[in-house]
Amino acid sequence: MLATRWNADIVGLLVDGALRAARDEGIDDPRVHYVDGALELPLAAARLASAADAVVALGAVIEGETPHFKHVSRFAVDGLGRVGLDTDTAIGNGVLTCHTREQALARSGGEGASEDKGYEAARAAIDLAGLRP
């Protein structure tokens, strides 16, 4: 499992959800590796993919006043997809790309959240890993 340090409060909630999904599936001790931000997720995922059936990547990119948001979001999402295809490793993409902090919190699985994208990303990776012959 990978998580960014950027927007740590939101990402921490995503990690909680992903760990809960792993426990629900009987995965007792998933390891969480931290990277600085979403730009680092694809390379970190590629490095972990060589020794794993699945990798879950968690982060939160929130729009600011510059176009940086679009570039970081695109690189992270495209890069994670490429890692999955290039390595035949299940990648759970739990990178939130939101316009506001409130939107990210609503998707993070915390108290009062409408969605739990950390849990969903981990479930997706676990399900995909189960498809391997």
Side-chain angles (χ1 to χ4, degrees):
M1 189 175 307
L2 294 168
T4 63
R5 292 184 189 99
W6 197 259
N7 292 312
D9 57 334
I10 294 167
V11 176
L13 296 169
L14 295 170
V15 169
D16 291 344
L19 290 173
R20 195 171 56 259
R23 283 190 305 272
D24 287 352
E25 289 299 313
I27 301 168
D28 296 327
D29 193 23
R31 184 157 181 211
V32 182
H33 302 271
Y34 288 90
V35 297
D36 287 334
L39 289 174
E40 289 75 35
L41 287 171
L43 179 56
R47 290 183 175 172
L48 291 179
S50 65
D53 291 328
V55 176
V56 179
L58 306 167
V61 183
I62 301 171
E63 188 172 17
E65 298 176 5
T66 69
H68 185 68
F69 161 81
K70 292 178 184 176
H71 301 299
V72 172
S73 297
R74 174 63 57 208
F75 183 85
V77 171
D78 287 353
L80 290 170
R82 182 174 149 205
V83 168
L85 293 172
D86 289 352
T87 65
D88 192 30
T89 301
I91 304 293
N93 183 347
V95 179
L96 302 179
T97 56
C98 300
H99 295 292
T100 66
R101 182 173 173 72
E102 291 74 26
Q103 288 175 341
L105 285 168
R107 290 162 176 77
S108 66
E111 187 175 331
S114 58
E115 299 177 76
D116 188 343
K117 295 300 184 184
Y119 189 95
E120 293 174 24
R123 284 286 327 149
I126 292 165
D127 288 346
L128 280 172
L131 294 176
R132 179 171 277 159

